[in-house]
């Protein structure tokens, strides 16, 4: 592993949708954490807090402007309308990566415990490009949320979607990894599946997720379900494949059925018309499903093509003789252990 020489300029990114009730509490807390870390020398003094207003209809933006003028290094980004949590995070990272070496995304309601920010930065300094904050338990969740979340991770796993269990959108990303993420041009943003796809060295830090400090959830059940279904279908074409396989299975059953009905007919056990009816139902049903599956498989290919995701991602190049433009690589130093 390569350790970093330079103390990072850190950007904390908070998406906020109608968060007027909680913003003050959150910022007060984060400002303290930021200055403590600056004092200790673990982040640069120009490390900043960025709030992305995701088309709020309340006083969120007005408040951001007030805080902005009161304190240094509070940056407001306003989206033109409500785009949703994931696009808001993406917008924040895209802006922050112009300035920050490392950035951490966390919810505006302080549910993501900011006390572990320092540990996350430590992992970054050890050379990790991505640090996932992982919940140690789901004690603070309702029974319903806990179990639906569990089911979601199970199903996603079966379908081959690579997710870090019990990790949501509380994570640190280096500028290098954010730049790579920005090359994924898809419209259906589901960060917790996109980030592991980048393949950069990553670490985990565990935390206890708290309860919302003020205000109410901006993720009602309907939004949560849409998010889950969108997430899975954006990363897996296995449901289509499943249709095809089911079609094959039913055609197989029809084969057995044909033999069975023929024997029954020959032995004289069958009612007139029964054999042909049974065989047609099963055979045609199976062929139909298989045909849909075949069409689906092609659509699945189109689906992955239109995303135009980068086909590879180079992490590092060594041995370059002529110095290129200033890049993150220059902030690395080989660890003495290697
Ligand atoms: N959020 C957002 N846009 C939305 C919905 C939510 O930016 O359309 C933000 C919200 O302000 C918060 C974070 O996403 O900072 C997580 O939302 P919330 O805490 O309401 O979700 P929960 O924790 O209840 O799942
Ligand atoms: Mg919350």
């Amino acid at each position: 592993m390569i350790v970093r020489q330079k103390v990072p300029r850190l950007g904390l990114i908070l998406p906020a949708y109608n968060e007027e009730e909680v913003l003050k509490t959150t910022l007060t807390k984060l400002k303290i954490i930021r200055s403590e870390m600056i004092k200790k020398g673990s982040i640069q003094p120009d490390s900043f807090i960025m709030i992305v207003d995701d088309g709020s209809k309340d006083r969120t933006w007005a408040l951001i402007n007030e805080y902005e003028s009161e304190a240094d290094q509070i940056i407001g980004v306003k989206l033109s309308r409500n785009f949703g949590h994931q696009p808001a995070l993406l917008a924040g990272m895209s802006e922050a990566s112009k300035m920050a070496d490392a950035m951490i995304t966390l919810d505006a309601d302080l549910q993501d415990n900011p006390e572990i920010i320092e540990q996350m930065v430590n992992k970054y300094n050890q050379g990790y490009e991505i640090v996932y904050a992982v919940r140690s338990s789901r004690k603070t969740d309702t029974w319903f949320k806990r179990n639906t979340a569990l089911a979601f991770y199970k199903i996603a796993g079966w379908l081959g979607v690579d997710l870090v269990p019990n990790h949501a959108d509380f994570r640190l990303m280096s500028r290098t990894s954010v730049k790579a993420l920005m090359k994924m041009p898809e419209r259906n943003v589901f960060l917790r599946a996109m980030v592991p796809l980048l393949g950069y060295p990553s670490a985990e830090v565990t935390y206890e997720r708290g309860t919302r400090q003020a205000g109410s959830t901006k993720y009602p059940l309907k939004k949560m379900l849409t998010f889950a279904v969108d997430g899975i279908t954006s990363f897996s074409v296995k449901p289509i494949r499943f249709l095809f396989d089911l079609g094959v299975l039913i055609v197989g059953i029809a084969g057995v059925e044909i033999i069975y009905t023929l024997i029954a007919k020959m032995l004289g056990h069958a009612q007139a018309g029964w054999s042909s009816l049974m065989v047609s139902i099963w055979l045609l049903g199976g062929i139909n499903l298989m045909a849909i599956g075949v069409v689906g498989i092609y659509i699945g290919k189109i689906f992955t093509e239109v995303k135009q995701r980068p086909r590879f991602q180079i992490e590092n190049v060594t041995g370059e003789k002529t110095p290129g433009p200033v890049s993150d690589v220059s902030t690395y130093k080989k660890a003495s252990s290697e």
Side-chain angles (χ1 to χ4, degrees):
M1 183 83 72
I2 29 189
V3 284
R4 293 173 213 260
Q5 267 185 325
K6 203 179 119 218
V7 171
R9 181 177 185 189
L10 181 72
L12 297 174
I13 305 167
L14 297 91
Y17 177 54
N18 296 342
E19 297 288 12
E20 60 178 10
E21 282 159 277
V22 80
L23 218 50
K24 194 178 171 64
T25 323
T26 305
L27 283 180
T28 313
K29 178 87 193 162
L30 290 182
K31 278 199 286 197
I32 294 172
I33 287 181
R34 174 181 164 268
S35 29
E36 275 173 359
M37 285 178 72
I38 293 174
K39 246 186 249 153
K40 281 193 202 160
S42 39
I43 54 173
Q44 294 285 342
D46 56 358
S47 294
F48 57 88
I49 301 171
M50 175 182 275
I51 309 147
V52 183
D53 177 7
D54 183 19
S56 298
K57 290 174 185 71
D58 64 357
R59 279 184 27 81
T60 298
W61 183 244
L63 285 176
I64 294 172
N65 281 320
E66 279 172 31
Y67 299 134
E68 210 176 43
S69 53
E70 273 171 23
D72 265 1
Q73 307 300 338
I74 289 194
I75 300 171
V77 173
K78 190 180 189 325
L79 302 188
S80 58
R81 63 169 169 86
N82 179 238
F83 282 84
H85 180 210
Q86 301 288 302
L89 288 173
L90 209 55
M93 285 190 279
S94 153
E95 278 306 302
S97 62
K98 294 175 188 165
M99 305 169 262
D101 302 307
M103 50 221 92
I104 296 180
T105 49
L106 67 169
D107 286 356
D109 57 6
L110 280 187
Q111 279 194 277
D112 297 333
N113 183 4
E115 304 290 345
I116 65 160
I117 288 177
E118 187 151 8
Q119 290 176 48
M120 294 168 88
V121 172
N122 284 342
K123 292 277 181 201
Y124 167 84
N125 287 332
Q126 287 165 24
Y128 292 103
E129 300 288 341
I130 299 162
V131 185
Y132 300 107
V134 175
R135 296 177 64 170
S136 51
S137 80
R138 286 191 165 264
K139 274 192 288 204
T140 51
D141 277 2
T142 58
W143 180 90
F144 181 76
K145 178 101 189 217
R146 191 163 49 237
N147 286 285
T148 46
L150 200 73
F152 172 74
Y153 286 110
K154 272 254 159 65
I155 295 171
W158 288 334
L159 295 174
V161 185
D162 184 15
L163 294 173
V164 179
N166 293 323
H167 155 75
D169 287 301
F170 185 13
R171 74 176 81 78
L172 177 147
M173 289 184 79
S174 66
R175 181 170 51 227
T176 313
S177 63
V178 169
K179 289 222 164 111
L181 179 70
M182 294 303 157
K183 287 191 205 148
M184 289 189 174
E186 54 215 78
R187 296 295 173 269
N188 282 298
V189 190
F190 189 61
L191 289 167
R192 66 191 81 167
M194 287 159 75
V195 175
L197 269 187
L198 296 173
Y200 283 110
S202 63
E204 290 179 11
V205 171
T206 52
Y207 75 107
E208 276 294 333
R209 189 166 164 89
T211 46
R212 185 175 249 285
Q213 291 298 303
S216 55
T217 176
K218 310 308 182 268
Y219 260 107
L221 182 63
K222 190 164 163 270
K223 237 185 189 175
M224 219 165 77
L225 280 176
T226 315
F227 185 56
V229 173
D230 269 0
I232 288 177
T233 51
S234 293
F235 286 87
S236 173
V237 288
K238 281 206 180 157
I240 298 176
R241 188 70 218 190
F242 173 72
L243 274 187
F244 178 75
D245 293 346
L246 193 65
V248 173
L249 181 74
I250 291 176
V251 170
I253 295 175
V256 178
E257 186 94 28
I258 289 172
I259 297 167
Y260 171 71
T261 46
L262 280 180
I263 294 173
K265 201 176 164 68
M266 279 189 296
L267 296 177
H269 295 324
Q271 294 273 342
W274 173 78
S275 322
S276 52
L277 207 62
M278 284 313 279
V279 170
S280 348
I281 288 174
W282 281 85
L283 197 59
L284 283 178
I287 290 174
N288 269 334
L289 208 53
M290 251 172 77
I292 293 174
V294 170
V295 174
I297 288 170
Y298 283 100
I299 292 182
K301 298 249 146 97
I302 297 171
F303 167 82
T304 39
E305 287 296 329
V306 292
K307 281 197 203 300
Q308 304 220 347
R309 280 186 189 148
R311 278 167 301 181
F312 54 85
Q313 196 74 61
I314 295 173
E315 189 186 321
N316 209 338
V317 179
T318 55
E320 268 182 313
K321 294 293 176 292
T322 45
V326 183
S327 77
D328 291 22
V329 179
S330 63
T331 63
Y332 289 130
K333 183 182 77 175
K334 274 261 178 224
S336 48
S337 63
E338 277 187 330

